[in-house]
Amino acid sequence: MIRYDFLDTACGALLVAIDETGLRHVDFVDGLRALPIQPEWRQDSHALAPYLAEFRAYFAGELQRFTLPLAAQGTAFQRAVWQALCDIPYGETRSYRDIAIAIGKPTAMRAVGAANGRNPLSIIVPCHRVIGRDGSLTGYAGGLPIKQALLKLEGIQR
């Protein structure tokens, strides 16, 4: 069963959903591709309390690395991209090309971009840290203003 709750942040409301193995979804409610809550999901503030505490600490500038158990589902390629995203240090950015090289697929920039766009764990798997090779802000499921705000929170000015 998936349990969920919401957290109000400076970037907007955040939906956080877990199952028995860990974090399944993190998504901005008003994002460009917001995840709809499914009828079988149950709101459970108590179960989500430790998860929301880490997000509060992140948004307060007190947490740079999450310790939450993750349960994202995706293809082997998507999981490789998501792991490479997790390897981007707080306060730093990488290009899609950098990620493609990191996973051993240097010509797969578009596929990396697609996997990045299907990331179910916004912020935890820091897809907001991926920018264009020329340093420009590129797509973000939460919308570019949220991406820019997250980068600013981490000390990156764009």
Side-chain angles (χ1 to χ4, degrees), residues 7-28:
L7 177 67
D8 287 326
T9 77
C11 296
L14 193 66
L15 166 67
V16 181
I18 62 171
D19 68 10
E20 62 280 349
T21 60
L23 198 57
R24 287 285 300 273
H25 302 284
V26 177
D27 198 19
F28 286 98

Side-chain angles (χ1 to χ4, degrees), residues 1-6 14-19 23-27 29 34-44 48 73 120:
M1 174 185 5
I2 295 198
R3 294 172 287 167
Y4 72 93
D5 204 359
F6 298 98
L14 193 66
L15 166 67
V16 181
I18 62 171
D19 68 10
L23 198 57
R24 287 285 300 273
H25 302 284
V26 177
D27 198 19
V29 173
L35 178 71
I37 295 170
Q38 302 302 308
E40 65 273 11
W41 293 11
R42 298 291 171 251
Q43 191 164 11
D44 187 341
L48 274 289
Q73 296 182 341

Side-chain angles (χ1 to χ4, degrees), residues 112-124:
V112 164
N116 198 40
R118 288 183 173 69
N119 170 18
L121 300 176
S122 182
I123 303 169
I124 297 278

Side-chain angles (χ1 to χ4, degrees), residues 85-108:
L85 297 177
C86 289
D87 293 339
I88 303 171
Y90 181 95
E92 295 184 21
T93 58
R94 299 289 184 273
S95 70
Y96 292 99
R97 184 170 190 271
D98 293 333
I99 301 301
I101 290 169
I103 64 169
K105 308 268 186 198
T107 61

